[in-house]
PDB file of all heavy atoms in Angstrom:
ATOM      1  N   PRO A 234       0.823  -1.215   0.000  1.00  0.00           N
ATOM      2  CA  PRO A 234       0.000   0.000   0.000  1.00  0.00           C
ATOM      3  C   PRO A 234       0.853   1.259   0.000  1.00  0.00           C
ATOM      4  O   PRO A 234       2.041   1.239   0.329  1.00  0.00           O
ATOM      5  CB  PRO A 234      -0.796  -0.130   1.305  1.00  0.00           C
ATOM      6  CG  PRO A 234      -0.794  -1.594   1.619  1.00  0.00           C
ATOM      7  CD  PRO A 234       0.519  -2.116   1.118  1.00  0.00           C
ATOM      8  N   THR A 235       0.244   2.352  -0.389  1.00  0.00           N
ATOM      9  CA  THR A 235       0.832   3.698  -0.467  1.00  0.00           C
ATOM     10  C   THR A 235       1.860   3.808  -1.574  1.00  0.00           C
ATOM     11  O   THR A 235       2.509   4.842  -1.696  1.00  0.00           O
ATOM     12  CB  THR A 235       1.466   4.138   0.878  1.00  0.00           C
ATOM     13  OG1 THR A 235       2.649   3.364   1.128  1.00  0.00           O
ATOM     14  CG2 THR A 235       0.489   3.972   2.034  1.00  0.00           C
ATOM     15  N   GLU A 236       2.033   2.758  -2.395  1.00  0.00           N
ATOM     16  CA  GLU A 236       2.982   2.808  -3.506  1.00  0.00           C
ATOM     17  C   GLU A 236       2.237   2.846  -4.836  1.00  0.00           C
ATOM     18  O   GLU A 236       1.266   2.111  -5.026  1.00  0.00           O
ATOM     19  CB  GLU A 236       3.920   1.591  -3.485  1.00  0.00           C
ATOM     20  CG  GLU A 236       4.842   1.528  -2.271  1.00  0.00           C
ATOM     21  CD  GLU A 236       5.740   0.288  -2.302  1.00  0.00           C
ATOM     22  OE1 GLU A 236       5.577  -0.520  -3.242  1.00  0.00           O
ATOM     23  OE2 GLU A 236       6.578   0.138  -1.406  1.00  0.00           O
ATOM     24  N   ASP A 237       2.679   3.696  -5.750  1.00  0.00           N
ATOM     25  CA  ASP A 237       2.152   3.755  -7.117  1.00  0.00           C
ATOM     26  C   ASP A 237       0.647   3.973  -7.161  1.00  0.00           C
ATOM     27  O   ASP A 237      -0.051   3.410  -8.013  1.00  0.00           O
ATOM     28  CB  ASP A 237       2.512   2.472  -7.877  1.00  0.00           C
ATOM     29  CG  ASP A 237       4.013   2.223  -7.924  1.00  0.00           C
ATOM     30  OD1 ASP A 237       4.757   3.209  -8.053  1.00  0.00           O
ATOM     31  OD2 ASP A 237       4.433   1.054  -7.817  1.00  0.00           O
ATOM     32  N   GLY A 238       0.130   4.760  -6.233  1.00  0.00           N
ATOM     33  CA  GLY A 238      -1.287   5.113  -6.268  1.00  0.00           C
ATOM     34  C   GLY A 238      -2.240   4.014  -5.887  1.00  0.00           C
ATOM     35  O   GLY A 238      -3.436   4.082  -6.238  1.00  0.00           O
ATOM     36  N   LYS A 239      -1.762   2.991  -5.181  1.00  0.00           N
ATOM     37  CA  LYS A 239      -2.660   1.891  -4.789  1.00  0.00           C
ATOM     38  C   LYS A 239      -3.587   2.272  -3.651  1.00  0.00           C
ATOM     39  O   LYS A 239      -4.592   1.622  -3.417  1.00  0.00           O
ATOM     40  CB  LYS A 239      -1.838   0.657  -4.398  1.00  0.00           C
ATOM     41  CG  LYS A 239      -1.021   0.054  -5.529  1.00  0.00           C
ATOM     42  CD  LYS A 239      -0.281  -1.178  -5.055  1.00  0.00           C
ATOM     43  CE  LYS A 239       0.550  -1.800  -6.181  1.00  0.00           C
ATOM     44  NZ  LYS A 239       1.660  -0.911  -6.585  1.00  0.00           N
ATOM     45  N   GLY A 240      -3.245   3.308  -2.910  1.00  0.00           N
ATOM     46  CA  GLY A 240      -4.070   3.724  -1.794  1.00  0.00           C
ATOM     47  C   GLY A 240      -3.506   3.248  -0.473  1.00  0.00           C
ATOM     48  O   GLY A 240      -2.512   2.526  -0.410  1.00  0.00           O
ATOM     49  N   SER A 241      -4.153   3.647   0.604  1.00  0.00           N
ATOM     50  CA  SER A 241      -3.747   3.257   1.950  1.00  0.00           C
ATOM     51  C   SER A 241      -4.859   2.477   2.618  1.00  0.00           C
ATOM     52  O   SER A 241      -6.017   2.522   2.193  1.00  0.00           O
ATOM     53  CB  SER A 241      -3.391   4.495   2.787  1.00  0.00           C
ATOM     54  OG  SER A 241      -4.518   5.354   2.888  1.00  0.00           O
ATOM     55  N   ILE A 242      -4.506   1.753   3.666  1.00  0.00           N
ATOM     56  CA  ILE A 242      -5.460   0.904   4.378  1.00  0.00           C
ATOM     57  C   ILE A 242      -5.889   1.593   5.666  1.00  0.00           C
ATOM     58  O   ILE A 242      -5.063   2.113   6.414  1.00  0.00           O
ATOM     59  CB  ILE A 242      -4.829  -0.473   4.681  1.00  0.00           C
ATOM     60  CG1 ILE A 242      -4.593  -1.229   3.371  1.00  0.00           C
ATOM     61  CG2 ILE A 242      -5.713  -1.283   5.626  1.00  0.00           C
ATOM     62  CD1 ILE A 242      -3.920  -2.571   3.551  1.00  0.00           C
ATOM     63  N   GLN A 243      -7.193   1.600   5.905  1.00  0.00           N
ATOM     64  CA  GLN A 243      -7.754   2.181   7.122  1.00  0.00           C
ATOM     65  C   GLN A 243      -8.317   1.050   7.975  1.00  0.00           C
ATOM     66  O   GLN A 243      -9.308   0.415   7.610  1.00  0.00           O
ATOM     67  CB  GLN A 243      -8.862   3.181   6.779  1.00  0.00           C
ATOM     68  CG  GLN A 243      -8.452   4.278   5.809  1.00  0.00           C
ATOM     69  CD  GLN A 243      -7.379   5.185   6.370  1.00  0.00           C
ATOM     70  OE1 GLN A 243      -7.333   5.446   7.567  1.00  0.00           O
ATOM     71  NE2 GLN A 243      -6.492   5.663   5.496  1.00  0.00           N
ATOM     72  N   SER A 244      -7.669   0.784   9.096  1.00  0.00           N
ATOM     73  CA  SER A 244      -8.135  -0.264  10.002  1.00  0.00           C
ATOM     74  C   SER A 244      -9.264   0.264  10.881  1.00  0.00           C
ATOM     75  O   SER A 244      -9.240   1.414  11.323  1.00  0.00           O
ATOM     76  CB  SER A 244      -6.981  -0.757  10.868  1.00  0.00           C
ATOM     77  OG  SER A 244      -7.425  -1.728  11.799  1.00  0.00           O
ATOM     78  N   GLY A 245     -10.257  -0.590  11.125  1.00  0.00           N
ATOM     79  CA  GLY A 245     -11.408  -0.180  11.927  1.00  0.00           C
ATOM     80  C   GLY A 245     -12.514   0.450  11.130  1.00  0.00           C
ATOM     81  O   GLY A 245     -13.438   1.034  11.703  1.00  0.00           O
ATOM     82  N   PHE A 246     -12.445   0.326   9.796  1.00  0.00           N
ATOM     83  CA  PHE A 246     -13.475   0.884   8.911  1.00  0.00           C
ATOM     84  C   PHE A 246     -13.853  -0.148   7.858  1.00  0.00           C
ATOM     85  O   PHE A 246     -13.052  -1.019   7.497  1.00  0.00           O
ATOM     86  CB  PHE A 246     -12.976   2.150   8.207  1.00  0.00           C
ATOM     87  CG  PHE A 246     -12.734   3.312   9.123  1.00  0.00           C
ATOM     88  CD1 PHE A 246     -11.509   3.469   9.757  1.00  0.00           C
ATOM     89  CD2 PHE A 246     -13.729   4.250   9.342  1.00  0.00           C
ATOM     90  CE1 PHE A 246     -11.280   4.533  10.599  1.00  0.00           C
ATOM     91  CE2 PHE A 246     -13.504   5.328  10.186  1.00  0.00           C
ATOM     92  CZ  PHE A 246     -12.277   5.470  10.819  1.00  0.00           C
ATOM     93  N   LEU A 247     -15.065  -0.042   7.347  1.00  0.00           N
ATOM     94  CA  LEU A 247     -15.518  -0.824   6.208  1.00  0.00           C
ATOM     95  C   LEU A 247     -16.066   0.127   5.148  1.00  0.00           C
ATOM     96  O   LEU A 247     -16.719   1.130   5.476  1.00  0.00           O
ATOM     97  CB  LEU A 247     -16.608  -1.819   6.609  1.00  0.00           C
ATOM     98  CG  LEU A 247     -16.165  -3.090   7.337  1.00  0.00           C
ATOM     99  CD1 LEU A 247     -17.378  -3.910   7.757  1.00  0.00           C
ATOM    100  CD2 LEU A 247     -15.231  -3.932   6.474  1.00  0.00           C
ATOM    101  N   GLU A 248     -15.773  -0.186   3.886  1.00  0.00           N
ATOM    102  CA  GLU A 248     -16.289   0.633   2.789  1.00  0.00           C
ATOM    103  C   GLU A 248     -17.706   0.191   2.450  1.00  0.00           C
ATOM    104  O   GLU A 248     -17.954  -0.980   2.178  1.00  0.00           O
ATOM    105  CB  GLU A 248     -15.393   0.500   1.557  1.00  0.00           C
ATOM    106  CG  GLU A 248     -15.865   1.356   0.396  1.00  0.00           C
ATOM    107  CD  GLU A 248     -15.027   1.165  -0.864  1.00  0.00           C
ATOM    108  OE1 GLU A 248     -14.191   0.245  -0.868  1.00  0.00           O
ATOM    109  OE2 GLU A 248     -15.225   1.922  -1.829  1.00  0.00           O
ATOM    110  N   MET A 249     -18.633   1.124   2.471  1.00  0.00           N
ATOM    111  CA  MET A 249     -20.010   0.831   2.085  1.00  0.00           C
ATOM    112  C   MET A 249     -20.126   0.825   0.563  1.00  0.00           C
ATOM    113  O   MET A 249     -19.186   1.204  -0.149  1.00  0.00           O
ATOM    114  CB  MET A 249     -20.956   1.871   2.687  1.00  0.00           C
ATOM    115  CG  MET A 249     -20.906   1.944   4.208  1.00  0.00           C
ATOM    116  SD  MET A 249     -21.416   0.394   4.986  1.00  0.00           S
ATOM    117  CE  MET A 249     -23.152   0.373   4.569  1.00  0.00           C
ATOM    118  N   SER A 250     -21.263   0.390   0.051  1.00  0.00           N
ATOM    119  CA  SER A 250     -21.490   0.413  -1.391  1.00  0.00           C
ATOM    120  C   SER A 250     -21.583   1.862  -1.864  1.00  0.00           C
ATOM    121  O   SER A 250     -21.869   2.781  -1.081  1.00  0.00           O
ATOM    122  CB  SER A 250     -22.774  -0.338  -1.745  1.00  0.00           C
ATOM    123  OG  SER A 250     -23.909   0.431  -1.400  1.00  0.00           O
ATOM    124  N   ASN A 251     -21.348   2.062  -3.151  1.00  0.00           N
ATOM    125  CA  ASN A 251     -21.455   3.417  -3.707  1.00  0.00           C
ATOM    126  C   ASN A 251     -22.810   3.651  -4.375  1.00  0.00           C
ATOM    127  O   ASN A 251     -22.953   4.527  -5.222  1.00  0.00           O
ATOM    128  CB  ASN A 251     -20.314   3.683  -4.698  1.00  0.00           C
ATOM    129  CG  ASN A 251     -20.369   2.765  -5.912  1.00  0.00           C
ATOM    130  OD1 ASN A 251     -21.143   1.812  -5.969  1.00  0.00           O
ATOM    131  ND2 ASN A 251     -19.527   3.047  -6.894  1.00  0.00           N
ATOM    132  N   VAL A 252     -23.807   2.866  -3.983  1.00  0.00           N
ATOM    133  CA  VAL A 252     -25.159   3.005  -4.530  1.00  0.00           C
ATOM    134  C   VAL A 252     -25.846   4.195  -3.875  1.00  0.00           C
ATOM    135  O   VAL A 252     -25.925   4.283  -2.644  1.00  0.00           O
ATOM    136  CB  VAL A 252     -25.979   1.723  -4.302  1.00  0.00           C
ATOM    137  CG1 VAL A 252     -27.428   1.921  -4.776  1.00  0.00           C
ATOM    138  CG2 VAL A 252     -25.345   0.545  -5.026  1.00  0.00           C
ATOM    139  N   ASP A 253     -26.348   5.122  -4.692  1.00  0.00           N
ATOM    140  CA  ASP A 253     -27.112   6.278  -4.224  1.00  0.00           C
ATOM    141  C   ASP A 253     -28.588   5.978  -4.489  1.00  0.00           C
ATOM    142  O   ASP A 253     -29.032   5.945  -5.637  1.00  0.00           O
ATOM    143  CB  ASP A 253     -26.670   7.528  -4.975  1.00  0.00           C
ATOM    144  CG  ASP A 253     -27.352   8.794  -4.479  1.00  0.00           C
ATOM    145  OD1 ASP A 253     -28.404   8.684  -3.820  1.00  0.00           O
ATOM    146  OD2 ASP A 253     -26.843   9.891  -4.757  1.00  0.00           O
ATOM    147  N   LEU A 254     -29.363   5.761  -3.417  1.00  0.00           N
ATOM    148  CA  LEU A 254     -30.755   5.354  -3.587  1.00  0.00           C
ATOM    149  C   LEU A 254     -31.581   6.405  -4.323  1.00  0.00           C
ATOM    150  O   LEU A 254     -32.458   6.057  -5.131  1.00  0.00           O
ATOM    151  CB  LEU A 254     -31.382   5.055  -2.228  1.00  0.00           C
ATOM    152  CG  LEU A 254     -31.041   3.690  -1.613  1.00  0.00           C
ATOM    153  CD1 LEU A 254     -31.726   3.536  -0.263  1.00  0.00           C
ATOM    154  CD2 LEU A 254     -31.444   2.559  -2.546  1.00  0.00           C
ATOM    155  N   SER A 255     -31.330   7.681  -4.066  1.00  0.00           N
ATOM    156  CA  SER A 255     -32.094   8.724  -4.758  1.00  0.00           C
ATOM    157  C   SER A 255     -31.853   8.662  -6.262  1.00  0.00           C
ATOM    158  O   SER A 255     -32.793   8.800  -7.060  1.00  0.00           O
ATOM    159  CB  SER A 255     -31.730  10.102  -4.205  1.00  0.00           C
ATOM    160  OG  SER A 255     -30.341  10.375  -4.391  1.00  0.00           O
ATOM    161  N   GLU A 256     -30.605   8.425  -6.648  1.00  0.00           N
ATOM    162  CA  GLU A 256     -30.288   8.311  -8.073  1.00  0.00           C
ATOM    163  C   GLU A 256     -30.907   7.053  -8.676  1.00  0.00           C
ATOM    164  O   GLU A 256     -31.446   7.076  -9.791  1.00  0.00           O
ATOM    165  CB  GLU A 256     -28.771   8.290  -8.252  1.00  0.00           C
ATOM    166  CG  GLU A 256     -28.324   8.127  -9.692  1.00  0.00           C
ATOM    167  CD  GLU A 256     -26.815   8.015  -9.830  1.00  0.00           C
ATOM    168  OE1 GLU A 256     -26.114   8.250  -8.831  1.00  0.00           O
ATOM    169  OE2 GLU A 256     -26.350   7.690 -10.942  1.00  0.00           O
ATOM    170  N   GLU A 257     -30.850   5.945  -7.925  1.00  0.00           N
ATOM    171  CA  GLU A 257     -31.377   4.676  -8.449  1.00  0.00           C
ATOM    172  C   GLU A 257     -32.885   4.742  -8.633  1.00  0.00           C
ATOM    173  O   GLU A 257     -33.417   4.255  -9.639  1.00  0.00           O
ATOM    174  CB  GLU A 257     -31.016   3.530  -7.506  1.00  0.00           C
ATOM    175  CG  GLU A 257     -29.525   3.252  -7.404  1.00  0.00           C
ATOM    176  CD  GLU A 257     -28.868   2.943  -8.729  1.00  0.00           C
ATOM    177  OE1 GLU A 257     -29.487   2.248  -9.562  1.00  0.00           O
ATOM    178  OE2 GLU A 257     -27.742   3.421  -8.952  1.00  0.00           O
ATOM    179  N   PHE A 258     -33.601   5.357  -7.683  1.00  0.00           N
ATOM    180  CA  PHE A 258     -35.052   5.440  -7.825  1.00  0.00           C
ATOM    181  C   PHE A 258     -35.452   6.390  -8.947  1.00  0.00           C
ATOM    182  O   PHE A 258     -36.469   6.183  -9.610  1.00  0.00           O
ATOM    183  CB  PHE A 258     -35.693   5.864  -6.501  1.00  0.00           C
ATOM    184  CG  PHE A 258     -35.826   4.734  -5.514  1.00  0.00           C
ATOM    185  CD1 PHE A 258     -35.173   4.775  -4.295  1.00  0.00           C
ATOM    186  CD2 PHE A 258     -36.590   3.616  -5.821  1.00  0.00           C
ATOM    187  CE1 PHE A 258     -35.281   3.725  -3.397  1.00  0.00           C
ATOM    188  CE2 PHE A 258     -36.712   2.561  -4.922  1.00  0.00           C
ATOM    189  CZ  PHE A 258     -36.055   2.616  -3.708  1.00  0.00           C
ATOM    190  N   THR A 259     -34.648   7.429  -9.179  1.00  0.00           N
ATOM    191  CA  THR A 259     -34.907   8.301 -10.313  1.00  0.00           C
ATOM    192  C   THR A 259     -34.727   7.542 -11.628  1.00  0.00           C
ATOM    193  O   THR A 259     -35.569   7.637 -12.538  1.00  0.00           O
ATOM    194  CB  THR A 259     -33.959   9.516 -10.282  1.00  0.00           C
ATOM    195  OG1 THR A 259     -34.149  10.240  -9.070  1.00  0.00           O
ATOM    196  CG2 THR A 259     -34.220  10.432 -11.463  1.00  0.00           C
ATOM    197  N   GLU A 260     -33.634   6.775 -11.710  1.00  0.00           N
ATOM    198  CA  GLU A 260     -33.412   5.954 -12.905  1.00  0.00           C
ATOM    199  C   GLU A 260     -34.487   4.885 -13.051  1.00  0.00           C
ATOM    200  O   GLU A 260     -34.848   4.495 -14.168  1.00  0.00           O
ATOM    201  CB  GLU A 260     -32.029   5.306 -12.837  1.00  0.00           C
ATOM    202  CG  GLU A 260     -30.870   6.269 -13.018  1.00  0.00           C
ATOM    203  CD  GLU A 260     -30.868   6.902 -14.400  1.00  0.00           C
ATOM    204  OE1 GLU A 260     -31.126   6.199 -15.395  1.00  0.00           O
ATOM    205  OE2 GLU A 260     -30.625   8.124 -14.485  1.00  0.00           O
ATOM    206  N   LEU A 261     -35.002   4.399 -11.924  1.00  0.00           N
ATOM    207  CA  LEU A 261     -36.079   3.408 -11.955  1.00  0.00           C
ATOM    208  C   LEU A 261     -37.326   3.993 -12.603  1.00  0.00           C
ATOM    209  O   LEU A 261     -37.993   3.336 -13.418  1.00  0.00           O
ATOM    210  CB  LEU A 261     -36.375   2.942 -10.528  1.00  0.00           C
ATOM    211  CG  LEU A 261     -37.299   1.729 -10.372  1.00  0.00           C
ATOM    212  CD1 LEU A 261     -36.650   0.479 -10.933  1.00  0.00           C
ATOM    213  CD2 LEU A 261     -37.642   1.518  -8.897  1.00  0.00           C
ATOM    214  N   ILE A 262     -37.644   5.247 -12.254  1.00  0.00           N
ATOM    215  CA  ILE A 262     -38.806   5.903 -12.860  1.00  0.00           C
ATOM    216  C   ILE A 262     -38.583   6.108 -14.355  1.00  0.00           C
ATOM    217  O   ILE A 262     -39.489   5.882 -15.177  1.00  0.00           O
ATOM    218  CB  ILE A 262     -39.053   7.258 -12.163  1.00  0.00           C
ATOM    219  CG1 ILE A 262     -39.477   7.025 -10.707  1.00  0.00           C
ATOM    220  CG2 ILE A 262     -40.116   8.065 -12.907  1.00  0.00           C
ATOM    221  CD1 ILE A 262     -39.559   8.294  -9.886  1.00  0.00           C
ATOM    222  N   VAL A 263     -37.361   6.539 -14.728  1.00  0.00           N
ATOM    223  CA  VAL A 263     -37.051   6.745 -16.146  1.00  0.00           C
ATOM    224  C   VAL A 263     -37.203   5.445 -16.928  1.00  0.00           C
ATOM    225  O   VAL A 263     -37.787   5.415 -18.024  1.00  0.00           O
ATOM    226  CB  VAL A 263     -35.617   7.306 -16.298  1.00  0.00           C
ATOM    227  CG1 VAL A 263     -35.203   7.335 -17.768  1.00  0.00           C
ATOM    228  CG2 VAL A 263     -35.522   8.702 -15.701  1.00  0.00           C
ATOM    229  N   ALA A 264     -36.677   4.338 -16.375  1.00  0.00           N
ATOM    230  CA  ALA A 264     -36.775   3.042 -17.057  1.00  0.00           C
ATOM    231  C   ALA A 264     -38.227   2.592 -17.162  1.00  0.00           C
ATOM    232  O   ALA A 264     -38.651   2.043 -18.196  1.00  0.00           O
ATOM    233  CB  ALA A 264     -35.944   2.003 -16.312  1.00  0.00           C
ATOM    234  N   GLN A 265     -38.990   2.818 -16.098  1.00  0.00           N
ATOM    235  CA  GLN A 265     -40.397   2.422 -16.115  1.00  0.00           C
ATOM    236  C   GLN A 265     -41.170   3.196 -17.177  1.00  0.00           C
ATOM    237  O   GLN A 265     -41.952   2.611 -17.946  1.00  0.00           O
ATOM    238  CB  GLN A 265     -41.024   2.656 -14.740  1.00  0.00           C
ATOM    239  CG  GLN A 265     -42.498   2.282 -14.671  1.00  0.00           C
ATOM    240  CD  GLN A 265     -43.118   2.624 -13.325  1.00  0.00           C
ATOM    241  OE1 GLN A 265     -42.509   3.336 -12.524  1.00  0.00           O
ATOM    242  NE2 GLN A 265     -44.308   2.129 -13.072  1.00  0.00           N
ATOM    243  N   ARG A 266     -40.949   4.504 -17.245  1.00  0.00           N
ATOM    244  CA  ARG A 266     -41.647   5.309 -18.253  1.00  0.00           C
ATOM    245  C   ARG A 266     -41.177   4.961 -19.658  1.00  0.00           C
ATOM    246  O   ARG A 266     -41.971   4.973 -20.610  1.00  0.00           O
ATOM    247  CB  ARG A 266     -41.425   6.802 -17.975  1.00  0.00           C
ATOM    248  CG  ARG A 266     -42.019   7.284 -16.666  1.00  0.00           C
ATOM    249  CD  ARG A 266     -43.469   6.901 -16.532  1.00  0.00           C
ATOM    250  NE  ARG A 266     -44.046   7.380 -15.284  1.00  0.00           N
ATOM    251  CZ  ARG A 266     -45.201   6.974 -14.793  1.00  0.00           C
ATOM    252  NH1 ARG A 266     -45.906   6.053 -15.446  1.00  0.00           N
ATOM    253  NH2 ARG A 266     -45.659   7.455 -13.651  1.00  0.00           N
ATOM    254  N   GLY A 267     -39.894   4.655 -19.802  1.00  0.00           N
ATOM    255  CA  GLY A 267     -39.410   4.223 -21.114  1.00  0.00           C
ATOM    256  C   GLY A 267     -40.072   2.924 -21.551  1.00  0.00           C
ATOM    257  O   GLY A 267     -40.439   2.760 -22.724  1.00  0.00           O
ATOM    258  N   PHE A 268     -40.230   1.999 -20.604  1.00  0.00           N
ATOM    259  CA  PHE A 268     -40.906   0.732 -20.912  1.00  0.00           C
ATOM    260  C   PHE A 268     -42.357   0.994 -21.312  1.00  0.00           C
ATOM    261  O   PHE A 268     -42.863   0.424 -22.293  1.00  0.00           O
ATOM    262  CB  PHE A 268     -40.842  -0.173 -19.687  1.00  0.00           C
ATOM    263  CG  PHE A 268     -41.268  -1.590 -19.942  1.00  0.00           C
ATOM    264  CD1 PHE A 268     -40.332  -2.561 -20.250  1.00  0.00           C
ATOM    265  CD2 PHE A 268     -42.601  -1.950 -19.872  1.00  0.00           C
ATOM    266  CE1 PHE A 268     -40.713  -3.865 -20.498  1.00  0.00           C
ATOM    267  CE2 PHE A 268     -43.006  -3.257 -20.122  1.00  0.00           C
ATOM    268  CZ  PHE A 268     -42.054  -4.217 -20.428  1.00  0.00           C
ATOM    269  N   GLN A 269     -43.047   1.864 -20.559  1.00  0.00           N
ATOM    270  CA  GLN A 269     -44.441   2.168 -20.863  1.00  0.00           C
ATOM    271  C   GLN A 269     -44.576   2.843 -22.225  1.00  0.00           C
ATOM    272  O   GLN A 269     -45.514   2.553 -22.984  1.00  0.00           O
ATOM    273  CB  GLN A 269     -45.025   3.066 -19.768  1.00  0.00           C
ATOM    274  CG  GLN A 269     -45.224   2.368 -18.433  1.00  0.00           C
ATOM    275  CD  GLN A 269     -45.727   3.308 -17.363  1.00  0.00           C
ATOM    276  OE1 GLN A 269     -45.492   4.522 -17.422  1.00  0.00           O
ATOM    277  NE2 GLN A 269     -46.401   2.764 -16.365  1.00  0.00           N
ATOM    278  N   ALA A 270     -43.645   3.756 -22.536  1.00  0.00           N
ATOM    279  CA  ALA A 270     -43.718   4.465 -23.809  1.00  0.00           C
ATOM    280  C   ALA A 270     -43.545   3.498 -24.983  1.00  0.00           C
ATOM    281  O   ALA A 270     -44.249   3.607 -25.999  1.00  0.00           O
ATOM    282  CB  ALA A 270     -42.651   5.556 -23.858  1.00  0.00           C
ATOM    283  N   ASN A 271     -42.616   2.553 -24.845  1.00  0.00           N
ATOM    284  CA  ASN A 271     -42.429   1.576 -25.922  1.00  0.00           C
ATOM    285  C   ASN A 271     -43.621   0.640 -26.033  1.00  0.00           C
ATOM    286  O   ASN A 271     -43.993   0.232 -27.138  1.00  0.00           O
ATOM    287  CB  ASN A 271     -41.147   0.786 -25.663  1.00  0.00           C
ATOM    288  CG  ASN A 271     -39.895   1.539 -26.057  1.00  0.00           C
ATOM    289  OD1 ASN A 271     -39.525   1.603 -27.225  1.00  0.00           O
ATOM    290  ND2 ASN A 271     -39.237   2.128 -25.068  1.00  0.00           N
ATOM    291  N   ALA A 272     -44.223   0.292 -24.895  1.00  0.00           N
ATOM    292  CA  ALA A 272     -45.429  -0.538 -24.929  1.00  0.00           C
ATOM    293  C   ALA A 272     -46.568   0.211 -25.617  1.00  0.00           C
ATOM    294  O   ALA A 272     -47.346  -0.379 -26.382  1.00  0.00           O
ATOM    295  CB  ALA A 272     -45.827  -0.943 -23.513  1.00  0.00           C
ATOM    296  N   ARG A 273     -46.656   1.522 -25.372  1.00  0.00           N
ATOM    297  CA  ARG A 273     -47.697   2.321 -26.037  1.00  0.00           C
ATOM    298  C   ARG A 273     -47.442   2.397 -27.541  1.00  0.00           C
ATOM    299  O   ARG A 273     -48.396   2.423 -28.338  1.00  0.00           O
ATOM    300  CB  ARG A 273     -47.736   3.723 -25.414  1.00  0.00           C
ATOM    301  CG  ARG A 273     -48.824   4.638 -25.987  1.00  0.00           C
ATOM    302  CD  ARG A 273     -50.217   4.026 -25.819  1.00  0.00           C
ATOM    303  NE  ARG A 273     -50.504   3.762 -24.430  1.00  0.00           N
ATOM    304  CZ  ARG A 273     -51.040   4.654 -23.595  1.00  0.00           C
ATOM    305  NH1 ARG A 273     -51.316   5.867 -24.032  1.00  0.00           N
ATOM    306  NH2 ARG A 273     -51.309   4.328 -22.351  1.00  0.00           N
ATOM    307  N   THR A 274     -46.177   2.449 -27.946  1.00  0.00           N
ATOM    308  CA  THR A 274     -45.865   2.451 -29.380  1.00  0.00           C
ATOM    309  C   THR A 274     -46.357   1.169 -30.036  1.00  0.00           C
ATOM    310  O   THR A 274     -46.902   1.196 -31.154  1.00  0.00           O
ATOM    311  CB  THR A 274     -44.348   2.600 -29.591  1.00  0.00           C
ATOM    312  OG1 THR A 274     -43.903   3.821 -29.014  1.00  0.00           O
ATOM    313  CG2 THR A 274     -43.994   2.584 -31.067  1.00  0.00           C
ATOM    314  N   ILE A 275     -46.169   0.033 -29.350  1.00  0.00           N
ATOM    315  CA  ILE A 275     -46.663  -1.246 -29.888  1.00  0.00           C
ATOM    316  C   ILE A 275     -48.175  -1.232 -29.987  1.00  0.00           C
ATOM    317  O   ILE A 275     -48.766  -1.682 -30.984  1.00  0.00           O
ATOM    318  CB  ILE A 275     -46.172  -2.405 -28.995  1.00  0.00           C
ATOM    319  CG1 ILE A 275     -44.659  -2.543 -29.099  1.00  0.00           C
ATOM    320  CG2 ILE A 275     -46.848  -3.715 -29.393  1.00  0.00           C
ATOM    321  CD1 ILE A 275     -44.079  -3.605 -28.194  1.00  0.00           C
ATOM    322  N   THR A 276     -48.857  -0.681 -28.961  1.00  0.00           N
ATOM    323  CA  THR A 276     -50.317  -0.605 -28.985  1.00  0.00           C
ATOM    324  C   THR A 276     -50.810   0.260 -30.139  1.00  0.00           C
ATOM    325  O   THR A 276     -51.758  -0.099 -30.855  1.00  0.00           O
ATOM    326  CB  THR A 276     -50.829  -0.029 -27.654  1.00  0.00           C
ATOM    327  OG1 THR A 276     -50.384  -0.845 -26.572  1.00  0.00           O
ATOM    328  CG2 THR A 276     -52.345   0.029 -27.628  1.00  0.00           C
ATOM    329  N   THR A 277     -50.162   1.405 -30.344  1.00  0.00           N
ATOM    330  CA  THR A 277     -50.554   2.303 -31.437  1.00  0.00           C
ATOM    331  C   THR A 277     -50.312   1.643 -32.793  1.00  0.00           C
ATOM    332  O   THR A 277     -51.149   1.744 -33.707  1.00  0.00           O
ATOM    333  CB  THR A 277     -49.765   3.623 -31.347  1.00  0.00           C
ATOM    334  OG1 THR A 277     -49.989   4.219 -30.066  1.00  0.00           O
ATOM    335  CG2 THR A 277     -50.187   4.578 -32.447  1.00  0.00           C
ATOM    336  N   SER A 278     -49.170   0.962 -32.935  1.00  0.00           N
ATOM    337  CA  SER A 278     -48.888   0.256 -34.188  1.00  0.00           C
ATOM    338  C   SER A 278     -49.926  -0.826 -34.443  1.00  0.00           C
ATOM    339  O   SER A 278     -50.357  -1.043 -35.591  1.00  0.00           O
ATOM    340  CB  SER A 278     -47.490  -0.360 -34.130  1.00  0.00           C
ATOM    341  OG  SER A 278     -46.498   0.631 -33.972  1.00  0.00           O
TER     342      SER A 278
END
């Protein structure tokens, strides 16, 4: 560690996930609306 940009080790800590729930739920709405829009295109066709 600490060589060539590998980083350093912190004892007594754990790294959490980098998932941002607010961002994921926003993307979830976008994906849902995209799915609905494509389904509506099939219905119109």
Side-chain angles (χ1 to χ4, degrees):
T235 70
E236 295 179 357
D237 302 323
K239 296 182 180 67
S241 60
I242 293 178
Q243 306 296 327
S244 177
F246 293 87
L247 283 176
E248 181 184 9
M249 301 298 292
S250 75
N251 63 351
V252 175
D253 184 341
L254 281 180
S255 60
E256 178 184 350
E257 295 303 321
F258 280 118
T259 301
E260 289 296 319
L261 190 66
I262 294 172
V263 172
Q265 179 184 12
R266 296 308 181 194
F268 191 94
Q269 290 177 334
N271 281 280
R273 182 58 58 87
T274 300
I275 293 177
T276 302
T277 303
S278 299

